[in-house]
């Protein structure tokens, strides 16, 4: 299991004042010291948090690997090809949304065309590719058909589930999608809305090999610092397979 830490919201705080602090480049160094296996950044077309400057500097300073989230817009693909991150995750992007609201709508022909063109260019450039999708069979099958290396399963519905029953149902959907993706030869990633409280069952899914977590870790870092916030999340994620079978017994880390 790899834990990738999304540091977008460090840049969100900086952009609240249009100044130069806090710097996501420093955050990435500390996240790596805390045990992050990689750094995830979403460069939106409107550059509302992560900027071109951040992408360039992070590409030169991150020692683990960068997972660059972009839309399939050709200009964003140009940026990715110029930066050469370890992995690109293609995500849907709407200007008015607060955060990525759902997975790629691969039932749409125009979305598929645009994703396919982006994938071709990225793969020609030697980049590992992942598609952010909802955990349903059709999206998994389309991801396979499009030729991406990995599927990142959107965990937002799981995270937002109202009660235990709904949450269990969403977890089952995630597990079934993970199985289908694995059987199709795709690497399985997951992310969105995962927190210290809800991450254990997802981290314990045996076929999931990468988690992308941002908001919860950056939120906690305001109080305990980012290195410690990452270390605590990493401890929870690594211990998850043993804990998941005893749901009532989750013990928060010291100082939580
Ligand atoms: N994965 C993807 C594809 C995302 O777009 C995001 C949010 O930028 C995340 C994971 C992380 O979500 P969160 O900030 O809720 O942990």
């Amino acid at each position: 299991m790899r834990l990738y830490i999304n540091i977008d919201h460090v840049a969100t705080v900086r952009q609240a004042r249009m100044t130069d602090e806090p710097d996501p480049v420093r955050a990435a160094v500390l996240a790596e010291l805390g045990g992050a296996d990689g750094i995830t950044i979403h460069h939106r077309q409107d550059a509302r948090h992560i900027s071109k400057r951040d992408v360039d500097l992070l590409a030169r300073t991150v020692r683990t690997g960068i997972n660059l989230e972009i839309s399939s817009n050709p200009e964003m693909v140009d940026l990715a090809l110029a930066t050469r991150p370890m992995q690109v995750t293609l995500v849907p992007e709407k200007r008015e949304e607060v955060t990525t609201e759902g997975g790629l709508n691969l039932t749409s022909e125009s979305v598929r065309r645009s994703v396919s063109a982006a994938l071709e260019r990225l793969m020609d450039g030697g980049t590992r590719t992942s598609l952010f999708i909802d955990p349903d069979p059709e999206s998994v099958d389309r991801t396979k058909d499009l030729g991406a290396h990995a599927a990142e399963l959107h965990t937002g519905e799981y995270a937002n589930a109202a009660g235990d029953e709904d949450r269990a149902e969403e977890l089952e959907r995630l597990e079934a999608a993970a199985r289908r993706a694995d059987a199709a030869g795709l690497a399985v990633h997951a992310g969105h809305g995962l927190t210290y409280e809800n991450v254990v069952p997802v981290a314990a899914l045996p076929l999931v090999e990468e988690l992308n977590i941002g908001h919860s870790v950056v939120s906690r870092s305001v109080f305990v610092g980012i290195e410690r916030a990452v270390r605590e999340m990493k401890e929870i994620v690594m211990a998850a397979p043993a804990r998941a079978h005893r749901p009532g017994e989750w013990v928060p880390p010291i100082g939580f």
Side-chain angles (χ1 to χ4, degrees):
M1 172 65 79
R2 302 185 296 272
L3 173 63
Y4 275 48
I5 296 295
N6 180 317
I7 56 170
D8 291 351
H9 295 304
V10 175
T12 302
V13 174
R14 177 189 63 192
Q15 295 314 108
R17 283 292 170 94
M18 305 282 190
T19 175
D20 59 1
E21 64 174 9
D23 190 339
V25 178
R26 290 186 178 200
V29 172
L30 293 170
E32 288 181 316
L33 285 173
D37 298 298
I39 300 296
T40 294
I41 44 175
H42 183 174
H43 188 282
R44 287 180 166 267
Q45 261 170 273
D46 62 10
R48 72 162 80 141
H49 38 53
I50 292 293
S51 64
K52 170 91 170 40
R53 169 263 185 206
D54 299 333
V55 177
D56 288 343
L57 278 178
L58 287 164
R60 282 187 275 148
T61 52
V62 165
R63 313 309 299 168
T64 49
I66 292 182
N67 172 36
L68 177 64
E69 296 177 1
I70 51 168
S71 72
S72 53
N73 178 291
E75 278 174 35
M76 292 297 105
V77 177
D78 289 344
L79 173 87
L81 289 171
T83 314
R84 302 185 64 79
M86 190 214 64
Q87 174 172 286
V88 167
T89 301
L90 295 177
V91 302
E93 210 173 282
K94 285 191 229 135
R95 241 162 226 277
E96 59 286 3
E97 69 192 353
V98 174
T99 181
T100 318
E101 283 169 355
L104 289 160
N105 176 13
L106 298 178
T107 58
S108 151
E109 168 121 27
S110 67
V111 171
R112 279 206 309 279
R113 219 177 303 123
S114 160
V115 166
S116 175
L119 284 177
E120 199 177 321
R121 292 183 62 207
L122 290 165
M123 285 165 150
D124 280 352
T127 311
R128 188 174 194 271
T129 55
S130 176
L131 300 187
F132 187 47
I133 58 167
D134 293 324
D136 61 65
E138 183 166 4
S139 297
V140 171
D141 294 351
R142 300 268 190 195
T143 300
K144 167 70 183 165
D145 294 346
L146 285 160
H149 297 102
E152 180 177 342
L153 304 176
H154 192 306
T155 50
E157 296 284 329
Y158 161 81
N160 294 331
D164 290 350
E165 215 170 291
D166 284 0
R167 184 159 291 188
E169 228 169 78
E170 290 302 333
L171 190 64
E172 272 172 34
R173 277 182 76 207
L174 286 166
E175 189 165 8
R179 272 214 206 91
R180 196 174 183 99
D182 179 69
L186 295 163
V188 186
H189 307 167
H192 209 283
L194 296 176
T195 66
Y196 295 84
E197 288 80 14
N198 70 19
V199 72
V200 166
V202 177
L205 292 175
L207 298 171
V208 175
E209 64 178 61
E210 179 185 307
L211 292 180
N212 282 287
I213 307 182
H215 188 266
S216 185
V217 172
V218 174
S219 300
R220 186 160 172 75
S221 77
V222 171
F223 303 109
V224 304
I226 195 156
E227 188 180 337
R228 177 168 152 189
V230 172
R231 185 167 294 119
E232 289 174 350
M233 182 60 87
K234 178 95 184 238
E235 280 172 13
I236 294 171
V237 163
M238 297 316 280
R243 282 182 180 146
H245 302 296
R246 307 191 303 271
E249 289 181 32
W250 182 68
V251 183
I254 293 165
F256 192 79

